[in-house]
mmCIF file of all heavy atoms in Angstrom:
data_model
loop_
_atom_site.group_PDB
_atom_site.id
_atom_site.type_symbol
_atom_site.label_atom_id
_atom_site.label_comp_id
_atom_site.label_asym_id
_atom_site.label_seq_id
_atom_site.Cartn_x
_atom_site.Cartn_y
_atom_site.Cartn_z
ATOM 1 N N SER A 824 5.596 -1.810 -6.299
ATOM 2 C CA SER A 824 5.214 -0.400 -6.016
ATOM 3 C C SER A 824 5.228 -0.174 -4.541
ATOM 4 O O SER A 824 5.634 0.927 -4.090
ATOM 5 C CB SER A 824 3.790 -0.127 -6.543
ATOM 6 O OG SER A 824 3.792 -0.333 -7.968
ATOM 7 N N ILE A 825 4.768 -1.127 -3.724
ATOM 8 C CA ILE A 825 4.800 -0.936 -2.273
ATOM 9 C C ILE A 825 6.241 -0.842 -1.826
ATOM 10 O O ILE A 825 6.577 0.051 -0.949
ATOM 11 C CB ILE A 825 4.158 -2.160 -1.599
ATOM 12 C CG1 ILE A 825 2.623 -2.104 -1.931
ATOM 13 C CG2 ILE A 825 4.278 -2.127 -0.110
ATOM 14 C CD1 ILE A 825 1.880 -3.401 -1.500
ATOM 15 N N ASP A 826 7.099 -1.650 -2.360
ATOM 16 C CA ASP A 826 8.562 -1.602 -1.950
ATOM 17 C C ASP A 826 9.168 -0.246 -2.308
ATOM 18 O O ASP A 826 9.927 0.291 -1.450
ATOM 19 C CB ASP A 826 9.297 -2.707 -2.715
ATOM 20 C CG ASP A 826 10.762 -2.724 -2.354
ATOM 21 O OD1 ASP A 826 11.102 -2.910 -1.205
ATOM 22 O OD2 ASP A 826 11.616 -2.516 -3.324
ATOM 23 N N GLY A 827 8.837 0.274 -3.517
ATOM 24 C CA GLY A 827 9.416 1.593 -3.853
ATOM 25 C C GLY A 827 8.876 2.759 -2.942
ATOM 26 O O GLY A 827 9.581 3.632 -2.544
ATOM 27 N N LEU A 828 7.578 2.643 -2.634
ATOM 28 C CA LEU A 828 6.953 3.675 -1.729
ATOM 29 C C LEU A 828 7.533 3.633 -0.316
ATOM 30 O O LEU A 828 7.577 4.692 0.336
ATOM 31 C CB LEU A 828 5.418 3.512 -1.751
ATOM 32 C CG LEU A 828 4.644 3.907 -2.930
ATOM 33 C CD1 LEU A 828 3.214 3.488 -2.866
ATOM 34 C CD2 LEU A 828 4.781 5.435 -3.234
ATOM 35 N N CYS A 829 7.897 2.436 0.091
ATOM 36 C CA CYS A 829 8.427 2.319 1.461
ATOM 37 C C CYS A 829 9.760 3.158 1.644
ATOM 38 O O CYS A 829 10.029 3.559 2.741
ATOM 39 C CB CYS A 829 8.750 0.890 1.789
ATOM 40 S SG CYS A 829 7.255 -0.116 2.088
ATOM 41 N N MET A 830 10.426 3.377 0.510
ATOM 42 C CA MET A 830 11.706 4.105 0.625
ATOM 43 C C MET A 830 11.513 5.597 0.859
ATOM 44 O O MET A 830 12.336 6.204 1.538
ATOM 45 C CB MET A 830 12.540 3.880 -0.664
ATOM 46 C CG MET A 830 12.820 2.414 -0.973
ATOM 47 S SD MET A 830 13.935 1.701 0.336
ATOM 48 C CE MET A 830 15.422 2.585 0.016
ATOM 49 N N PHE A 831 10.496 6.187 0.200
ATOM 50 C CA PHE A 831 10.357 7.685 0.282
ATOM 51 C C PHE A 831 9.030 8.085 0.731
ATOM 52 O O PHE A 831 8.798 9.298 1.040
ATOM 53 C CB PHE A 831 10.675 8.264 -1.126
ATOM 54 C CG PHE A 831 9.739 7.859 -2.213
ATOM 55 C CD1 PHE A 831 8.588 8.565 -2.462
ATOM 56 C CD2 PHE A 831 10.072 6.772 -3.018
ATOM 57 C CE1 PHE A 831 7.742 8.176 -3.493
ATOM 58 C CE2 PHE A 831 9.221 6.412 -4.040
ATOM 59 C CZ PHE A 831 8.041 7.099 -4.269
ATOM 60 N N ASP A 832 7.979 7.235 0.830
ATOM 61 C CA ASP A 832 6.679 7.708 1.274
ATOM 62 C C ASP A 832 6.008 6.491 2.032
ATOM 63 O O ASP A 832 5.082 5.862 1.474
ATOM 64 C CB ASP A 832 5.802 8.084 0.071
ATOM 65 C CG ASP A 832 4.608 8.913 0.580
ATOM 66 O OD1 ASP A 832 4.230 8.782 1.809
ATOM 67 O OD2 ASP A 832 3.952 9.559 -0.253
ATOM 68 N N PRO A 833 6.440 6.178 3.273
ATOM 69 C CA PRO A 833 5.919 4.998 3.988
ATOM 70 C C PRO A 833 4.385 5.123 4.231
ATOM 71 O O PRO A 833 3.683 4.092 4.171
ATOM 72 C CB PRO A 833 6.682 5.086 5.283
ATOM 73 C CG PRO A 833 7.900 5.811 4.977
ATOM 74 C CD PRO A 833 7.565 6.798 3.986
ATOM 75 N N GLU A 834 3.889 6.360 4.341
ATOM 76 C CA GLU A 834 2.450 6.435 4.658
ATOM 77 C C GLU A 834 1.647 6.057 3.410
ATOM 78 O O GLU A 834 0.623 5.376 3.470
ATOM 79 C CB GLU A 834 2.133 7.881 5.021
ATOM 80 C CG GLU A 834 0.644 8.189 5.266
ATOM 81 C CD GLU A 834 0.091 7.380 6.482
ATOM 82 O OE1 GLU A 834 0.939 6.951 7.349
ATOM 83 O OE2 GLU A 834 -1.100 7.176 6.514
ATOM 84 N N GLU A 835 2.116 6.465 2.242
ATOM 85 C CA GLU A 835 1.433 6.072 0.978
ATOM 86 C C GLU A 835 1.550 4.563 0.753
ATOM 87 O O GLU A 835 0.676 3.945 0.250
ATOM 88 C CB GLU A 835 2.045 6.827 -0.249
ATOM 89 C CG GLU A 835 1.255 6.700 -1.470
ATOM 90 C CD GLU A 835 -0.123 7.360 -1.393
ATOM 91 O OE1 GLU A 835 -0.335 8.243 -0.599
ATOM 92 O OE2 GLU A 835 -0.980 6.853 -2.058
ATOM 93 N N ALA A 836 2.703 3.983 1.180
ATOM 94 C CA ALA A 836 2.858 2.527 1.062
ATOM 95 C C ALA A 836 1.897 1.813 1.970
ATOM 96 O O ALA A 836 1.379 0.769 1.561
ATOM 97 C CB ALA A 836 4.340 2.180 1.426
ATOM 98 N N ARG A 837 1.664 2.340 3.139
ATOM 99 C CA ARG A 837 0.690 1.732 4.056
ATOM 100 C C ARG A 837 -0.704 1.794 3.462
ATOM 101 O O ARG A 837 -1.400 0.743 3.531
ATOM 102 C CB ARG A 837 0.742 2.460 5.389
ATOM 103 C CG ARG A 837 -0.134 1.819 6.480
ATOM 104 C CD ARG A 837 -0.213 2.736 7.646
ATOM 105 N NE ARG A 837 -0.943 3.936 7.399
ATOM 106 C CZ ARG A 837 -2.264 4.027 7.294
ATOM 107 N NH1 ARG A 837 -3.001 2.921 7.501
ATOM 108 N NH2 ARG A 837 -2.850 5.133 7.025
ATOM 109 N N LYS A 838 -1.034 2.903 2.816
ATOM 110 C CA LYS A 838 -2.385 3.017 2.178
ATOM 111 C C LYS A 838 -2.515 2.038 1.023
ATOM 112 O O LYS A 838 -3.587 1.407 0.844
ATOM 113 C CB LYS A 838 -2.578 4.449 1.673
ATOM 114 C CG LYS A 838 -2.735 5.488 2.812
ATOM 115 C CD LYS A 838 -2.924 6.836 2.176
ATOM 116 C CE LYS A 838 -3.048 7.911 3.259
ATOM 117 N NZ LYS A 838 -3.213 9.255 2.669
ATOM 118 N N LEU A 839 -1.409 1.849 0.244
ATOM 119 C CA LEU A 839 -1.454 0.931 -0.875
ATOM 120 C C LEU A 839 -1.646 -0.548 -0.358
ATOM 121 O O LEU A 839 -2.396 -1.306 -0.978
ATOM 122 C CB LEU A 839 -0.240 1.068 -1.749
ATOM 123 C CG LEU A 839 -0.174 0.138 -2.959
ATOM 124 C CD1 LEU A 839 -1.424 0.402 -3.867
ATOM 125 C CD2 LEU A 839 1.139 0.379 -3.767
ATOM 126 N N ILE A 840 -0.931 -0.846 0.722
ATOM 127 C CA ILE A 840 -1.183 -2.163 1.303
ATOM 128 C C ILE A 840 -2.598 -2.428 1.715
ATOM 129 O O ILE A 840 -3.123 -3.505 1.473
ATOM 130 C CB ILE A 840 -0.217 -2.424 2.505
ATOM 131 C CG1 ILE A 840 1.211 -2.386 2.012
ATOM 132 C CG2 ILE A 840 -0.548 -3.648 3.244
ATOM 133 C CD1 ILE A 840 2.288 -2.414 3.145
ATOM 134 N N ALA A 841 -3.228 -1.390 2.289
ATOM 135 C CA ALA A 841 -4.579 -1.557 2.724
ATOM 136 C C ALA A 841 -5.489 -1.737 1.553
ATOM 137 O O ALA A 841 -6.450 -2.544 1.483
ATOM 138 C CB ALA A 841 -5.020 -0.279 3.520
ATOM 139 N N LYS A 842 -5.235 -0.967 0.426
ATOM 140 C CA LYS A 842 -6.073 -1.111 -0.751
ATOM 141 C C LYS A 842 -5.876 -2.435 -1.419
ATOM 142 O O LYS A 842 -6.841 -3.073 -1.850
ATOM 143 C CB LYS A 842 -5.688 0.003 -1.760
ATOM 144 C CG LYS A 842 -6.033 1.365 -1.374
ATOM 145 C CD LYS A 842 -5.467 2.455 -2.357
ATOM 146 C CE LYS A 842 -5.776 3.859 -1.901
ATOM 147 N NZ LYS A 842 -5.237 4.868 -2.817
ATOM 148 N N PHE A 843 -4.646 -2.963 -1.411
ATOM 149 C CA PHE A 843 -4.338 -4.188 -2.052
ATOM 150 C C PHE A 843 -4.990 -5.335 -1.209
ATOM 151 O O PHE A 843 -5.581 -6.281 -1.734
ATOM 152 C CB PHE A 843 -2.817 -4.433 -2.104
ATOM 153 C CG PHE A 843 -2.394 -5.695 -2.786
ATOM 154 C CD1 PHE A 843 -2.850 -5.976 -4.020
ATOM 155 C CD2 PHE A 843 -1.515 -6.611 -2.204
ATOM 156 C CE1 PHE A 843 -2.501 -7.174 -4.698
ATOM 157 C CE2 PHE A 843 -1.070 -7.690 -2.821
ATOM 158 C CZ PHE A 843 -1.580 -8.007 -4.131
ATOM 159 N N THR A 844 -4.966 -5.236 0.092
ATOM 160 C CA THR A 844 -5.570 -6.201 0.925
ATOM 161 C C THR A 844 -7.069 -6.279 0.739
ATOM 162 O O THR A 844 -7.715 -7.333 0.653
ATOM 163 C CB THR A 844 -5.248 -5.923 2.416
ATOM 164 O OG1 THR A 844 -3.859 -5.940 2.643
ATOM 165 C CG2 THR A 844 -5.885 -7.008 3.327
ATOM 166 N N LYS A 845 -7.656 -5.055 0.622
ATOM 167 C CA LYS A 845 -9.129 -4.979 0.475
ATOM 168 C C LYS A 845 -9.497 -5.620 -0.851
ATOM 169 O O LYS A 845 -10.522 -6.309 -0.998
ATOM 170 C CB LYS A 845 -9.565 -3.493 0.470
ATOM 171 C CG LYS A 845 -11.036 -3.272 0.259
ATOM 172 C CD LYS A 845 -11.376 -1.816 0.332
ATOM 173 C CE LYS A 845 -12.899 -1.607 0.118
ATOM 174 N NZ LYS A 845 -13.212 -0.155 0.096
ATOM 175 N N HIS A 846 -8.656 -5.375 -1.898
ATOM 176 C CA HIS A 846 -8.963 -5.964 -3.199
ATOM 177 C C HIS A 846 -8.842 -7.516 -3.163
ATOM 178 O O HIS A 846 -9.677 -8.234 -3.742
ATOM 179 C CB HIS A 846 -8.058 -5.424 -4.267
ATOM 180 C CG HIS A 846 -8.119 -6.083 -5.624
ATOM 181 N ND1 HIS A 846 -9.258 -5.938 -6.356
ATOM 182 C CD2 HIS A 846 -7.304 -6.860 -6.325
ATOM 183 C CE1 HIS A 846 -9.118 -6.614 -7.494
ATOM 184 N NE2 HIS A 846 -7.885 -7.183 -7.518
ATOM 185 N N LEU A 847 -7.875 -7.998 -2.514
ATOM 186 C CA LEU A 847 -7.708 -9.442 -2.389
ATOM 187 C C LEU A 847 -8.871 -10.108 -1.683
ATOM 188 O O LEU A 847 -9.446 -11.050 -2.131
ATOM 189 C CB LEU A 847 -6.403 -9.797 -1.672
ATOM 190 C CG LEU A 847 -5.087 -9.532 -2.314
ATOM 191 C CD1 LEU A 847 -3.948 -9.862 -1.429
ATOM 192 C CD2 LEU A 847 -5.035 -10.408 -3.622
ATOM 193 N N ARG A 848 -9.268 -9.449 -0.641
ATOM 194 C CA ARG A 848 -10.373 -10.056 0.166
ATOM 195 C C ARG A 848 -11.709 -9.962 -0.591
ATOM 196 O O ARG A 848 -12.456 -10.902 -0.550
ATOM 197 C CB ARG A 848 -10.543 -9.264 1.496
ATOM 198 C CG ARG A 848 -11.618 -9.820 2.423
ATOM 199 C CD ARG A 848 -11.734 -8.972 3.719
ATOM 200 N NE ARG A 848 -10.511 -8.963 4.474
ATOM 201 C CZ ARG A 848 -9.768 -7.901 4.628
ATOM 202 N NH1 ARG A 848 -10.043 -6.769 4.085
ATOM 203 N NH2 ARG A 848 -8.655 -8.020 5.362
ATOM 204 N N GLY A 849 -11.922 -8.910 -1.267
ATOM 205 C CA GLY A 849 -13.213 -8.693 -1.962
ATOM 206 C C GLY A 849 -13.367 -9.562 -3.229
ATOM 207 O O GLY A 849 -14.414 -10.019 -3.553
#
């Protein structure tokens, strides 16, 4: 999903990476 978002919505991809990282850490 992150890879697909990077192609047409980099900002949303960045948000998803932040959410994914937060989930991993928590």
Side-chain angles (χ1 to χ4, degrees):
S824 298
I825 294 171
D826 180 62
L828 288 172
C829 286
M830 300 295 293
F831 62 88
D832 194 345
E834 180 61 24
E835 191 64 28
R837 186 190 67 80
K838 292 180 181 179
L839 181 56
I840 291 173
K842 293 174 182 178
F843 186 50
T844 302
K845 181 180 180 181
H846 174 65
L847 288 177
R848 183 182 298 111

